[in-house]
């Protein structure tokens, strides 16, 4: 059980109760390092597309800027009605359920959706169960909210177990938060796993938060789970989503939360005081993308799935040197390294010695739990099949 603290210091403010942003810390490792011309930097540290939105979407956004005056004004706190309706309609079709627009809110990215959900669920001293390795921004927000992180070590294939989570539930527990496909491990949680966690949360009267930021790149056909089929799903489930990855709208910050209307009324209080409303241009862009880019998005998914396959195809090069692949999917490969040094030291040395920027497992694990010092995350969304082969060749040639 992890209280919000900073190692070696006494927390005196909300922000001092947690650690520095890991991606920003990793970027500082690049300062002063020059890479040989024949060995350009391979940046596999952040799970975000580096390319702009596709040209048709950019043209649509330009037209929106010029010809839709409301795109420059305040809008509804819970988002554009047309976008909420589109999400409800498409989610209903995807999950074989009935989701209504009043159960959908639009947020300034999925991180804000998580923050808003926690604000609506918890008060200081409450607790949330999160599988580890965890998505570090979730841990950071819990720390800054005065909410205790209860770590749930994942099991075989990096999949959490609901029975083990049951033993961690106390009167202070307000939610369990899952990410599938997972960040940082890449694994796709089986439908049965998600159902078991849903039933567990339902029995205990707590919320199940399911972050499906990477749902568009799931390798499975059809719905990845049946949680929305429960007639009372909204009493338990808080579903989070991001448009950033699907339509390359990362800088425009637009996400969504799907849950009960009464819970959204509480979330609305948080959103109103933080951003007043989501970015209007981003919402119009997300709506246009949902209505016009299904074929393009299918191509993006196929490309990501090919890169996932490339990880499997080329991994024997690393396996021969003692590496182990723990998880692979969506945007991520998660693996153990064979070296005697900590992954925190290894990650820094890789910038200089191999022109590779990746994140160490220590950024995804509490310092008092084992494993992180042997693990690294590779975000492969911005390197193609050839780039993955080059990456693995560099890692296999390390002299350590």
């Amino acid at each position: 059980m992890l209280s919000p603290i900073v190692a070696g210091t006494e927390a005196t403010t909300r922000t001092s109760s947690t650690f520095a942003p890991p991606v920003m810390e990793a970027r500082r490792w690049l300062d002063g390092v020059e890479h040989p011309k024949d060995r350009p930097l391979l940046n596999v540290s952040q799970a975000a597309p580096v390319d702009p939105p596709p040209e048709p979407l950019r043209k649509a956004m330009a037209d929106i800027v010029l010809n839709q005056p409301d795109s420059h004004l305040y809008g509804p706190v819970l988002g554009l009605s047309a976008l909420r309706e589109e999400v409800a309609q498409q989610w209903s079709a995807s999950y074989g359920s009935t989701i209504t627009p009043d159960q959908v809110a639009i947020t300034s990215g999925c991180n804000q959706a998580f923050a808003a959900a926690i604000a609506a669920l918890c008060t200081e001293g409450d607790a949330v169960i999160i599988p580890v390795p965890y998505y570090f921004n979730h841990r950071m927000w819990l720390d800054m909210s005065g909410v205790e992180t209860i770590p749930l070590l994942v099991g075989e294939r990096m999949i959490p177990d609901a029975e083990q989570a049951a033993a961690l539930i106390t009167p202070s527990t307000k939610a369990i938060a899952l990410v599938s496909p997972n960040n940082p491990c890449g694994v796709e949680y089986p439908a049965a796993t998600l159902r078991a966690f849903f039933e567990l949360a339902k029995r205990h009267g707590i919320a199940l938060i399911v972050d499906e930021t990477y749902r568009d790149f799931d390798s499975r056909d059809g719905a990845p789970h049946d949680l929305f089929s429960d007639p009372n799903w909204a009493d338990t489930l808080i579903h989070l989503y991001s448009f950033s990855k699907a339509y390359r709208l990362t800088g425009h910050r637009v996400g969504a939360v799907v849950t009960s209307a009464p819970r959204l009324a509480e979330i609305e209080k948080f959103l109103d005081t933080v951003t007043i409303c989501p970015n209007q241009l981003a919402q119009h862009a997300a709506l246009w993308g949902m209505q016009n880019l299904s074929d393009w998005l299918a191509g993006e998914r196929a490309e990501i799935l090919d890169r996932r396959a490339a990880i499997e195809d080329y991994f024997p090069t690393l396996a021969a040197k003692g590496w182990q692949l723990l998880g692979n999917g969506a945007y991520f490969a998660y693996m153990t390294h064979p070296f005697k040094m900590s992954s925190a030291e290894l990650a820094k040395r890789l910038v200089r010695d191999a022109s590779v920027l990746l994140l160490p497992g220590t950024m995804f694990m509490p310092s008092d739990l084992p494993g992180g010092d042997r693990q690294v995350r590779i975000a492969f969304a911005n390197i193609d099949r050839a780039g993955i082969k080059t990456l693995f060749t560099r890692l296999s040639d390390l002299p350590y």
Side-chain angles (χ1 to χ4, degrees):
M1 298 185 181
L2 303 172
S3 298
I5 58 171
V6 175
T9 66
E10 185 72 24
T12 57
T13 67
R14 289 299 192 188
T15 54
S16 68
S17 69
T18 196
F19 43 84
V23 171
M24 296 300 102
E25 178 183 344
R27 286 184 183 178
R28 287 190 284 272
W29 301 340
L30 299 173
D31 293 346
V33 179
E34 295 186 8
H35 305 285
K37 291 183 179 180
D38 61 347
R39 198 186 69 191
L41 177 70
L42 290 175
N43 188 342
V44 290
S45 64
Q46 189 171 23
V50 295
D51 293 323
E55 184 175 353
L57 178 52
R58 280 180 280 152
K59 289 181 176 179
M61 293 170 74
D63 181 70
I64 291 166
V65 168
L66 289 172
N67 298 309
Q68 288 190 228
D70 69 325
S71 68
H72 306 285
L73 306 176
Y74 286 144
V77 174
L78 294 180
L80 293 175
S81 59
L83 181 55
R84 296 172 70 187
E85 290 168 5
E86 190 69 26
V87 170
Q89 178 182 333
Q90 291 201 20
W91 263 230
S92 295
S94 296
Y95 294 98
S97 183
T98 299
I99 299 166
T100 58
D102 69 338
Q103 295 171 320
V104 178
I106 307 303
T107 59
S108 298
C110 194
N111 268 10
Q112 189 187 67
F114 179 82
I118 295 301
L121 290 170
C122 299
T123 190
E124 191 160 355
D126 286 339
V128 173
I129 297 171
I130 297 184
V132 292
Y134 48 46
Y135 173 43
F136 43 68
N137 281 159
H138 286 176
R139 168 70 194 279
M140 292 173 72
W141 182 253
L142 294 177
D143 286 351
M144 290 185 285
S145 300
V147 175
E148 185 179 12
T149 297
I150 309 298
L152 170 64
L153 282 169
V154 295
E156 186 180 358
R157 296 184 298 119
M158 310 305 285
I159 303 293
D161 183 82
E163 290 186 10
Q164 293 183 13
L168 301 176
I169 295 175
T170 72
S172 298
T173 307
K174 293 298 184 291
I176 302 169
L178 307 178
V179 182
S180 180
N182 186 254
N183 178 5
C185 300
V187 296
E188 299 164 353
Y189 291 173
T193 296
L194 291 170
R195 170 55 66 175
F197 274 96
F198 179 88
E199 296 299 336
L200 173 65
K202 185 177 180 180
R203 285 198 307 273
H204 287 269
I206 63 177
L208 176 65
I209 301 171
V210 178
D211 181 337
E212 287 196 291
T213 290
Y214 303 96
R215 70 185 289 272
D216 299 292
F217 308 101
D218 196 301
S219 67
R220 298 165 291 188
D221 294 327
H225 59 77
D226 64 353
L227 303 186
F228 286 108
S229 66
D230 188 294
N232 298 312
W233 67 264
D235 295 339
T236 301
L237 180 61
I238 302 178
H239 181 275
L240 311 182
Y241 177 69
S242 170
F243 298 91
S244 297
K245 312 303 188 290
Y247 306 112
R248 301 180 187 165
L249 291 168
T250 53
H252 293 277
R253 313 308 306 128
V254 58
V257 54
V258 183
T259 190
S260 69
R263 189 171 279 142
L264 286 184
E266 296 303 305
I267 285 175
E268 184 178 33
K269 300 174 186 178
F270 178 90
L271 299 177
D272 183 54
T273 57
V274 175
T275 51
I276 298 180
C277 67
N279 181 291
Q280 293 285 74
L281 175 60
Q283 292 185 86
H284 284 290
L287 177 60
W288 194 93
M290 292 187 77
Q291 295 175 336
N292 295 279
L293 291 178
S294 58
D295 290 343
W296 177 85
L297 182 54
E300 291 288 287
R301 174 177 178 267
E303 176 60 28
I304 291 296
L305 293 182
D306 182 67
R307 296 176 190 185
R308 172 181 175 170
I311 295 287
E312 302 281 352
D313 293 343
Y314 297 129
F315 192 76
T317 301
L318 290 182
K321 298 296 181 73
W323 295 71
Q324 181 182 2
L325 185 62
L326 301 177
N328 182 29
Y331 273 30
F332 309 106
Y334 202 72
M335 54 189 69
T336 60
H337 67 82
F339 307 112
K340 294 181 180 180
M341 70 187 79
S342 167
S343 59
E345 180 185 352
L346 174 65
K348 294 178 182 178
R349 293 181 65 173
L350 288 177
V351 174
R352 181 188 68 247
D353 298 343
S355 298
V356 170
L357 181 64
L358 52 71
L359 297 188
T362 51
M363 289 181 168
F364 305 98
M365 291 284 286
S367 60
D368 60 344
L369 290 181
D373 61 336
R374 311 303 307 164
Q375 300 165 354
V376 297
R377 187 192 77 173
I378 292 172
F380 57 75
N382 293 311
I383 54 172
D384 58 14
R385 176 174 280 269
I388 291 169
K389 183 177 182 181
T390 298
L391 171 66
F392 284 6
T393 298
R394 292 187 191 178
L395 294 180
S396 66
D397 289 342
L398 291 171
Y400 315 140

